[in-house]
Amino acid sequence: MTLPDSISERARQGAQVRREVLGGAYVDAGKQKANAFTQHFIEFTQSQCWGNVWLRDGLSRKTRSQLNVCMLAALARWHEFEVHIRGALNNGVTVEEIAEILLHTAVYAGIPIAAEGFRRADAIIREVKEQTKS
């Protein structure tokens, strides 16, 4: 995909990708909490993160999600990690692949990081399974 030339088009397409990856409920909840101050950051991430990097052809969404899970665990960015576990599942990353990612993270980022990652991922995976039963 050729990236859109205009920032506004990147933001529009980025908002769509964000919704597809993270889910409408998460995006809508964020919009409800947004204010004039936080809207700056939402617009920035939609145009630069989602509307630039996530639109590129070089990696699939599944691969990008796998990378996010590993990097966010290694950095102990637990809120974003949990958000991106949901995104990974939405992008076709399997539970088994998430476990493999966290085992790989254990070797390079440490056992405590992977242990916390397994705890948090397990909770999100269970929650997602319950939601899909409904």
Side-chain angles (χ1 to χ4, degrees):
M1 161 182 262
T2 303
L3 292 176
D5 288 332
S6 74
I7 291 174
S8 61
E9 183 58 20
R10 284 186 192 176
R12 188 192 70 72
Q13 289 183 26
Q16 180 181 335
V17 171
R18 181 175 179 248
R19 178 172 289 279
E20 291 168 1
V21 172
L22 302 181
Y26 177 81
V27 171
D28 292 342
K31 284 182 180 180
Q32 295 288 352
K33 295 176 191 172
N35 59 42
F37 179 71
T38 60
Q39 189 62 32
H40 294 292
F41 187 68
I42 292 169
E43 290 170 5
F44 175 79
T45 59
Q46 284 182 170
S47 67
Q48 299 303 311
C49 173
W50 297 103
N52 190 337
V53 174
W54 278 81
L55 289 180
R56 296 175 62 83
D57 289 331
L59 298 171
S60 69
R61 286 188 188 178
K62 180 178 179 177
T63 299
R64 290 181 193 284
S65 283
Q66 291 170 316
L67 290 167
N68 281 357
V69 168
C70 186
M71 288 185 287
L72 292 167
L75 293 168
R77 301 301 193 252
W78 299 119
H79 171 75
E80 291 295 319
F81 174 84
E82 291 172 355
V83 168
H84 281 281
I85 288 292
R86 288 184 205 293
L89 294 167
N90 289 340
N91 280 335
V93 180
T94 67
V95 172
E96 293 78 17
E97 288 170 324
I98 291 170
E100 289 299 323
I101 291 164
L102 291 171
L103 290 173
H104 196 79
T105 304
V107 172
Y108 290 95
I111 296 295
I113 289 290
E116 186 66 18
F118 268 99
R119 279 190 288 278
R120 289 175 182 259
D122 185 51
I124 298 300
I125 291 164
R126 288 174 188 260
E127 190 176 303
V128 168
K129 283 182 182 176
E130 284 299 315
Q131 290 171 348
T132 56
K133 286 181 183 178
S134 305

